[in-house]
Amino acid sequence: MTQPATPRTSDPPPPADADGPGQVEASPLAGLAAGLVLVAAGVALFVRALLVGADRGITLGGPTSAPIVVTGLWVVVAVAYLVTRIAAWRRRVPRPAAARPTWRVPILLMVLLVAYAFVLKYTAVGYVLATVLFYVGSAQLLSTRPLREVIVRDTIVGVVLSLTIYLSFTKLLGIVLPAGVLPL
Amino acid sequence: MNAFANLIDGFGAVLTPQNLLYAAIGVTVGTLVGMLPGIGPALTIALLLPVALELDDPTGTLIMFAGIYYGAMYGGSTTSILLNTPGESASVATSIEGYQMAKRGRARAALATAAIGSFVAAIITTILLTFVTEPMARLAVTFRASDYFALALLAMVTVTAVVGASIVRGLMSLTFGLFLGIVGIDALTGQARFTFGVASMLDGIDVVVVIVGLFAVGETLFIASRLRELPEKAVPLEPATGFAWLSRADWSRSWRPWLRGTALGFPFGALPSGGAELPTFLSYMYEKRRSRNREEFGRGAIEGVAGPEAANNASFSGVLVPLLTLGIPTSATAAVMLAAFSYFNLSPGPQLLQNQGPLVWALIASLFVGNVLLLALNLPLIQLWVKVLQIPRPLLYSGILVFATLGVYAVSGNIVDVLLAYAIGLIAMLMRHLDFPIAPAILGLILGPLMETQFRRALLLADGDLSIFVRRPLTLILLLLAVAALALPHLPKLFRGQRAVVTGED
């Protein structure tokens, strides 16, 4: 889980000073790709809704009409979006390199999240242990400092957090969380 | 003074030691969570939903919610002012001047005018709510299915037109929410729709799952994709050292914006116009135009904090009017509250006041109590709360992921729901990158099924005659308004400049 410290830009500005999501102009290609995916997904869903409708009968006010209307709307809006993206792509607006997102950390976080969910549900590891491991792991992914500098701090916070959640939920609120291997 | 007598009864129900404790816990936890950067009231309530639902007592839960909501609003304005990271679009207007004030060493005055302005606005508008609710509910009883359909459509369209930079993106987000709302068994016929053979999808997609995914997971993944640009730790500008009252000049410059913000916030909240975003910006622009200190705007004018903050809080009371009397949520937060109602098998709408009158009055009374407690408990503790802002970012967002997973897992105990929340989070991250607004998706999810039900009910009552939607004047007017809202996209363009600093969505 170790990860080299990413060099930080000198004197980074406060988060929203730089650019919030409202201002992050996605690269024209990303918008184009999103438009294509949206149109494809819309068409697939629309066809499926139509097939189900043809199967069970389409009546105004029946159960198949809302899916057809919504997926149809999806296709129309997605095509409109794609058209605006094609226009942006043809204008070829360059994007500053600094604002380009990195996908490594979110992808690793997703993998960790899915693993966490499966461990919680299907193994005997238990809530507290699984949460501590997940917490330390995800904090490390989100950190720009090396693991050895923060492991003690992260572990302590993780243990306190997961124990507090576990005890307050199971003992005070009566929500069952998996106890697992720890004698809790 | 029937409403007044009912309200007194409401206070009788609320003012028990146990309920006061719930209210105190609510404002404290709400402030704590609401203060976390990028987390607004909608997400705060969604994350705390499983906790509050365990109380098994609708009155207690609603009181806690009122506390959480006001706490979250207060926490949100603190973060906007000290860090310039508004957790929802409604706090953006506050952050413009608030952050500038903090930069110039006037953070305490900004926090104080925000807190007192919110208090004043909330108290005035809750009194208004007290007297509007009953007549409105009487009016709502005359609403027919076709009117509901048109009203829900209007609410959806206006929110989509108002929030975000482009209508096409807003509509796409809305359509995504509408689609999620269709998934599951059709309530009228029992047919499965878009369940893709997954048994646990038959019940539909839980609102909590979508909200946690869109906001908590989405925000964290978004932050994760931009780590290089962000500092490890957010540094608030001025860790306040105790609560200082406003100077005489601050008072005299604040009270009129408070009242004007209140006057703007309540009606806009009550209209299906998308909650607090529009009135906060209108208030900001109005104060900017009117102010004798116009040259200070952009460098930290106190009017620019006082007005929008009052408008923000006032609009919440306004939002409660259609929520309680018609069952129509007009903001993401209201949508989450509607979900909370449904957990107790309460359906807001014209019948709520008739069948559950005492509960509604207890809720309204708890709004008063929540406000007073917030001012009394939290304002003196500001220096303590500001420490929350100093939590290192990795610890903060890892904690948010833990709570997000817990929130979904505790509600359903179902791994499909947890994975679904993650997947929606992934989509939400991409939406943030591509500049799609989040709020329309939530409203689509909540209002879509409601619209479909009312549409089918209206058709059923009219024997399948579609002209029912144009024959009834009220329905026709609402539908025409919805068309007008889509056709007039020029209003939000006026705000686009100010919108540049949005870091989250309501």
Side-chain angles (χ1 to χ4, degrees):
Chain A
M1 214 38 97
T2 45
Q3 165 195 350
T6 320
R8 282 167 52 185
T9 46
S10 59
D11 192 23
D17 243 11
D19 47 12
Q23 235 188 2
V24 178
E25 249 321 304
S27 80
L29 271 181
L32 206 60
L36 286 172
V37 170
L38 282 171
V39 171
V43 169
L45 292 171
F46 183 58
V47 168
R48 192 186 160 98
L50 279 182
L51 287 177
V52 173
D55 214 24
R56 298 178 190 164
I58 305 171
T59 48
L60 196 60
T64 53
S65 47
I68 292 173
V69 170
V70 170
T71 52
L73 181 69
W74 181 315
V75 174
V76 172
V77 179
V79 167
Y81 177 68
L82 185 61
V83 169
T84 66
R85 290 307 91 199
I86 290 173
W89 175 68
R90 290 177 71 173
R91 274 186 271 119
R92 288 172 211 275
V93 189
R95 192 172 184 222
R100 224 164 254 155
T102 48
W103 302 115
R104 202 179 68 91
V105 180
I107 289 169
L108 288 176
L109 261 185
M110 277 302 283
V111 172
L112 197 62
L113 277 168
V114 173
Y116 176 49
F118 273 94
V119 167
L120 270 187
K121 184 73 183 177
Y122 294 113
T123 69
V125 174
Y127 184 79
V128 175
L129 211 55
T131 303
V132 172
L133 289 173
F134 170 76
Y135 187 81
V136 174
S138 61
Q140 179 55 32
L141 281 177
L142 287 164
S143 180
T144 47
R145 292 166 63 186
L147 184 64
R148 63 187 146 72
E149 276 182 30
V150 290
I151 177 114
V152 177
R153 177 195 75 180
D154 291 2
T155 310
I156 292 172
V157 177
V159 169
V160 171
L161 181 75
S162 57
L163 271 179
T164 311
I165 290 174
Y166 182 83
L167 293 176
S168 55
F169 268 66
T170 51
K171 304 281 190 264
L172 290 178
L173 296 170
I175 296 178
V176 183
L177 294 170
V181 288
L182 296 181
L184 288 165
Chain B
M1 277 298 149
N2 203 3
F4 192 68
N6 285 330
L7 186 64
I8 297 290
D9 289 341
F11 274 112
V14 170
L15 293 174
T16 65
Q18 192 183 5
N19 283 340
L20 284 178
L21 182 68
Y22 287 150
I25 294 174
V27 291
T28 311
V29 177
T31 310
L32 253 168
V33 180
M35 202 167 260
L36 303 177
I39 296 188
L43 177 57
T44 308
I45 295 183
L47 281 180
L48 296 173
L49 201 58
V51 181
L53 292 176
E54 282 306 306
L55 293 179
D56 256 353
D57 159 21
T59 314
T61 308
L62 289 178
I63 288 163
M64 205 160 168
F65 273 146
I68 289 171
Y69 185 80
Y70 283 121
M73 297 267 274
Y74 171 69
S77 57
T78 307
T79 324
S80 306
I81 289 167
L82 296 182
L83 283 180
N84 198 15
T85 53
E88 49 156 2
S89 41
S91 318
V92 173
T94 305
S95 69
I96 301 171
E97 295 302 317
Y99 184 64
Q100 293 302 326
M101 280 182 78
K103 256 176 148 172
R104 292 170 62 199
R106 302 205 60 223
R108 266 178 289 172
L111 288 173
T113 196
I116 300 168
S118 302
F119 177 78
V120 170
I123 293 293
I124 293 175
T125 53
T126 311
I127 292 171
L128 284 176
L129 178 68
T130 310
F131 294 104
V132 169
T133 305
E134 261 191 329
M136 193 61 204
R138 271 200 297 276
L139 187 71
V141 178
T142 65
F143 266 52
R144 306 259 180 84
S146 59
D147 304 332
Y148 272 111
F149 167 78
L151 191 66
L153 187 71
L154 176 63
M156 259 172 23
V157 168
T158 40
V159 171
T160 308
V162 165
V163 179
S166 95
I167 289 213
V168 175
R169 290 183 181 130
L171 279 176
M172 197 63 242
S173 172
L174 176 74
T175 313
F176 177 57
L178 286 173
F179 174 74
L180 292 178
I182 288 178
V183 174
I185 281 187
D186 171 42
L188 291 179
T189 60
Q191 283 193 24
R193 303 194 294 193
F194 289 117
T195 53
F196 302 101
V198 182
S200 58
M201 301 268 266
L202 289 173
D203 286 338
I205 301 177
D206 199 302
V207 179
V208 175
V209 170
V210 179
I211 289 169
V212 165
L214 283 178
F215 289 101
V217 182
E219 175 74 18
T220 308
L221 292 176
F222 180 69
I223 293 287
S225 67
R226 300 173 66 222
L227 278 183
R228 279 184 308 196
E229 306 157 49
L230 302 170
E232 172 99 350
K233 194 192 265 189
V235 184
L237 282 169
E238 179 205 23
T241 52
F243 177 66
W245 288 95
L246 298 163
S247 71
R248 188 180 286 268
D250 289 336
W251 276 102
S252 75
R253 285 176 61 180
S254 288
W255 72 270
R256 285 187 198 88
W258 289 340
L259 295 182
R260 282 194 290 261
T262 307
L264 274 174
F266 186 75
F268 270 100
L271 293 171
S273 63
E277 185 171 79
L278 199 54
T280 50
F281 276 109
L282 281 178
S283 165
Y284 178 78
M285 293 199 307
Y286 185 83
E287 298 305 335
K288 190 174 176 181
R289 196 158 300 164
R290 250 194 85 103
S291 174
R292 260 174 287 173
N293 310 295
R294 201 186 303 176
E295 74 287 351
E296 267 191 47
F297 272 81
R299 293 187 292 118
I302 195 163
E303 294 92 340
V305 181
E309 264 308 285
N312 191 4
N313 262 43
S315 79
F316 175 62
S317 310
V319 164
L320 284 179
V321 175
L323 180 69
L324 292 177
T325 57
L326 295 165
I328 302 271
T330 54
S331 75
T333 313
V336 184
M337 290 194 73
L338 189 66
F341 275 111
S342 69
Y343 277 97
F344 290 109
N345 288 326
L346 299 170
S347 49
Q351 264 67 46
L352 185 70
L353 203 64
Q354 283 172 14
N355 303 338
Q356 299 279 350
L359 189 70
V360 175
W361 291 108
L363 171 68
I364 294 176
S366 68
L367 296 178
F368 284 106
V369 175
N371 260 297
V372 174
L373 273 181
L374 180 67
L375 208 64
L377 284 182
N378 282 3
L379 221 44
L381 293 176
I382 181 71
Q383 67 270 46
L384 188 69
W385 298 133
V386 168
K387 292 229 181 347
V388 174
L389 297 179
Q390 296 171 337
I391 298 173
R393 199 156 31 83
L395 297 185
L396 192 66
Y397 283 98
S398 297
I400 289 174
L401 288 181
V402 167
F403 276 106
T405 307
L406 178 72
V408 176
Y409 193 78
V411 163
S412 68
N414 185 344
I415 192 169
V416 176
D417 280 355
V418 178
L419 296 178
L420 199 59
Y422 296 161
I424 292 173
L426 197 61
I427 293 171
M429 176 193 70
L430 295 173
M431 286 171 74
R432 281 170 165 82
H433 274 294
L434 296 165
D435 216 5
F436 285 91
I438 304 288
I442 297 279
L443 283 185
L445 171 75
I446 303 272
L447 286 175
L450 192 144
M451 262 173 69
E452 190 195 356
T453 310
Q454 299 294 359
F455 180 83
R456 288 160 78 175
R457 189 176 293 165
L459 266 189
L460 212 63
L461 292 174
D463 284 331
D465 181 6
L466 262 182
S467 70
I468 180 78
F469 293 101
V470 287
R471 273 206 319 262
R472 206 174 137 76
L474 182 58
T475 312
L476 186 62
I477 291 171
L478 290 169
L479 285 176
L480 288 176
L481 281 175
V483 174
L486 257 189
L488 294 171
H490 307 293
L491 202 57
K493 279 185 189 155
L494 290 175
F495 306 134
R496 204 177 277 170
Q498 281 94 332
R499 210 177 296 245
V501 283
V502 185
T503 62
E505 291 292 341
D506 182 6

